């Protein structure tokens, strides 16, 4: 029985041969693969590969797709938002390539339906897991890049993100002092500010918290507030005044 099971695994295509099932997905992608095995690999989770003695799954394509996506999203932000600073573009890019956003795009393509999953992953609802869907979305992008080249990958990113690009002005509006200061220090020093709690005093209903903000350039700003968070925000406000980085600049 063990030998029969082993022979069965050896006779099974690796990754599984379900190319005829991919036509609706290719229509949604608006891209037809020349090498269908690339798409099949992009949709094969390591759990299926492990259970079936297959040495190919989508993790390498995911690695490639992650880089492809970041390049094209970075270029898109650079071209669309010429007035946005580096820190702002970094924050916007993080939102656009986040696990939540990629899972959302994958659901729009019904990508979960096409995944090759192991029995355990299937039983645990893997087709709806955001992390798994996001990984598969990146793997598909990597597969398109290998199959069709840079231009086809760029076109796919453009189609996927149509109507998804944020508005930097509205995104910046209402940002708190700590967030804005973090963007400033990342852009100038590629480092983050540090908030050091110093002390608290007063009765429980009216405590005052003291903090010291330490900046990457060596400057520091003390501040106090009715909560640790408020004290940190006040310190960040002082630092922003120092950098001349008020809201909207």
């Amino acid at each position: 029985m063990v030998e029969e099971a082993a022979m069965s695994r050896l006779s099974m295509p690796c990754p599984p041969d379900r190319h005829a099932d991919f036509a609706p997905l290719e229509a949604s992608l608006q891209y037809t693969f020349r090498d269908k095995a690339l798409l099949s690999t992009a949709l094969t989770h390591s759990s299926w590969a492990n259970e079936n003695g297959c040495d190919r799954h989508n993790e390498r394509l995911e690695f490639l797709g992650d880089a492809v996506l970041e390049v094209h999203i970075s270029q898109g932000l650079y071209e669309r938002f010429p007035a946005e600073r580096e820190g702002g573009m970094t924050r916007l890019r993080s939102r656009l390539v986040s696990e939540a956003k990629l899972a959302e795009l994958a659901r729009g393509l019904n990508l979960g339906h096409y995944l090759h999953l192991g029995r355990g992953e299937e039983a645990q609802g893997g087709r709806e897991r955001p992390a798994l869907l996001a990984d598969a979305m990146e793997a598909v992008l990597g597969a398109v890049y290998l199959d069709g080249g840079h231009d086809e990958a760029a076109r796919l990113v453009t189609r996927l993100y149509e109507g998804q690009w944020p508005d930097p002005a509205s995104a910046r509006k209402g940002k708190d002092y700590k967030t804005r200061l973090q963007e400033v220090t990342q852009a100038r020093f590629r480092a983050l500010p540090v908030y050091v709690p110093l002390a608290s005093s007063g009765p429980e209903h009216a405590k005052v918290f003291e903090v010291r903000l330490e900046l990457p350039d060596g400057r520091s700003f003390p501040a106090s507030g009715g909560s640790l968070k408020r004290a940190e925000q006040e310190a960040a406000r002082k630092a922003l005044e120092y950098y001349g980085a008020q809201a909207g600049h």
Side-chain angles (χ1 to χ4, degrees):
M1 293 294 291
V2 174
E3 290 182 1
E4 289 180 6
M7 290 299 294
S8 176
R9 286 197 298 270
L10 288 173
S11 65
M12 183 176 296
C14 171
D17 186 0
R18 283 174 41 194
H19 301 163
D21 297 342
F22 295 153
L25 176 58
E26 290 179 312
S28 297
L29 293 169
Q30 297 180 44
Y31 180 78
T32 301
F33 279 82
R34 292 188 289 269
D35 183 357
K36 304 294 185 185
L38 268 175
L39 178 56
S40 189
T41 300
L43 299 170
T44 299
H45 189 255
S46 59
S47 62
W48 187 96
N50 292 336
E51 287 184 9
N52 292 278
C54 179
D55 61 356
R56 279 189 289 164
H57 49 76
N58 65 7
E59 289 180 3
R60 284 170 55 83
L61 284 172
E62 173 201 340
F63 169 81
L64 178 60
D66 175 71
V68 169
L69 179 63
E70 184 156 317
V71 166
H72 290 305
I73 290 297
S74 298
Q75 182 179 351
L77 290 169
Y78 184 86
E79 293 173 348
R80 285 173 170 79
F81 308 123
E84 191 67 19
R85 292 181 174 180
E86 180 188 2
M89 288 194 295
T90 298
R91 180 178 52 79
L92 292 173
R93 183 179 63 194
S94 296
R95 184 190 305 176
L96 289 167
V97 302
S98 68
E99 177 183 295
K101 173 57 68 176
L102 289 170
E104 176 188 324
L105 296 175
R107 290 189 187 99
L109 296 167
N110 196 23
L111 207 58
H113 170 75
Y114 299 96
L115 296 177
H116 312 307
L117 302 178
R119 291 185 297 274
E121 194 65 54
E122 183 81 63
Q124 294 174 26
R127 294 186 188 278
E128 292 299 322
R129 279 181 52 206
L132 195 150
L133 289 172
D135 291 347
M137 187 72 258
E138 288 179 333
V140 168
L141 281 167
V144 170
Y145 177 81
L146 290 180
D147 191 71
H150 174 92
D151 291 344
E152 289 293 349
R155 280 191 279 271
L156 177 56
V157 171
T158 298
R159 290 193 294 271
L160 288 172
Y161 281 88
E162 184 176 1
Q164 303 286 330
W165 296 94
D167 174 16
S170 62
R172 186 164 52 239
K173 185 179 180 181
K175 283 192 296 185
D176 62 33
Y177 294 119
K178 287 181 66 177
T179 300
R180 283 164 28 206
L181 178 62
Q182 179 174 310
E183 291 175 1
V184 170
T185 60
Q186 282 181 325
R188 294 192 181 194
F189 308 108
R190 298 191 181 277
L192 298 176
V194 176
Y195 298 87
V196 181
L198 297 177
S200 62
S201 59
E204 286 298 323
H205 67 280
K207 271 190 177 298
V208 175
F209 294 82
E210 298 177 10
V211 300
R212 182 177 68 249
L213 166 62
E214 298 178 351
L215 295 173
D217 63 359
R219 289 188 175 260
S220 63
F221 294 86
S224 61
S227 68
L228 190 59
K229 181 177 180 180
R230 288 178 181 174
E232 291 175 347
Q233 290 287 349
E234 175 61 14
R237 184 191 66 77
K238 291 180 178 181
L240 284 169
E241 287 185 351
Y242 161 66
Y243 281 131
Q246 296 297 323
H249 286 228

